Amino acid sequence: MTKFLLAVHVIAAIVAIGPVTVAASMFPPFARRALAESGGTESGGTGSGSHGYGTAASGGPVSVTAGSELAESGGGLHTLRLLHRICRIYAVVAAAVPVFGFATAGNMGVLGDTWLIVSIVLTGIAAVVLGALVLPRQEALLAGFEEAGAIEAGATEADSPEAGAAPMAAAGAGVAVTGVTVTERATVRLAMVTGIFNLLWATVTVLMIVRPGSTTGA
């Protein structure tokens, strides 16, 4: 029974936590690449959009024009949404890992071992980092890109020669500005907290393999 629980625990860790660490690690560089390709990091000063957004080169937010170009590009925004969705879904699935871990530890009689207690604490910290820092920052970046594109789309419709008073009023009233901005600095901060999350899980993995001080077999 112990071997079965251990096998399920290891498989769950590989299937659930593996995708989260990979997708979370890919999100910041893809966000920076999308920002650069949309023009957010290629020009200095203030943005060219009519709404006064700055550019990432000066640490300011991406311009609405850049957000619109990102939304219209073939993969940038769609890739970021996919990576974020993978992180969210597999983060929920990963809840099975500590469940089977506790069951395995109980059968092995190591619930009181120091290495396991440290692993449990680090796992809890990793879960907090993922839920309170990584996922919300990913959502904020996505919201910034999407909001910038929505503002630009509304402005384009309002400025259109065929647009009458009603479409212009709708554009002015229908765009909710939440203040979420996208900067290169934000992607760097996201990469930092993602690295902390990955380091915590790597440490837990090493502890599970080495099990310092443990006298049990496999």
Side-chain angles (χ1 to χ4, degrees), residues 8-206:
V8 174
H9 174 57
V10 172
I11 292 173
I14 294 173
V15 172
I17 300 175
V20 174
T21 56
V22 173
S25 299
M26 292 173 63
F27 193 98
F30 267 90
R32 285 194 296 269
R33 183 183 306 173
L35 192 60
E37 289 177 353
S38 63
T41 60
E42 295 178 354
S43 60
T46 59
S48 59
S50 60
H51 296 274
Y53 279 66
T55 61
S58 59
V62 63
S63 68
V64 292
T65 303
S68 179
E69 290 174 358
L70 174 64
E72 293 172 359
S73 63
L77 189 56
H78 298 294
T79 300
L80 293 177
R81 286 172 178 160
L82 175 61
L83 292 174
H84 177 63
R85 190 176 302 116
I86 291 173
C87 290
R88 283 193 298 105
I89 293 175
Y90 282 94
V92 176
V93 177
V97 176
V99 173
F100 286 104
F102 275 112
T104 303
N107 275 270
M108 295 175 64
V110 296
L111 282 174
D113 286 14
T114 303
W115 65 270
L116 182 63
I117 295 175
V118 173
S119 297
I120 294 172
V121 172
L122 293 179
T123 299
I125 296 174
V128 171
V129 170
L130 179 63
L133 297 176
V134 176
L135 293 180
R137 289 172 187 264
Q138 288 182 355
E139 292 172 359
L141 287 173
L142 280 174
F145 279 126
E146 292 170 350
E147 179 184 291
I151 294 175
E152 177 66 14
T156 301
E157 181 181 351
D159 294 338
S160 174
E162 292 85 6
M168 290 180 65
V175 178
V177 180
T178 63
V180 177
T181 57
V182 180
T183 65
E184 189 173 4
R185 186 177 302 172
T187 65
V188 171
R189 286 195 294 265
L190 174 59
M192 180 183 68
V193 295
T194 302
I196 293 173
F197 169 76
N198 291 339
L199 180 60
L200 287 168
W201 271 118
T203 304
V204 171
T205 302
V206 171

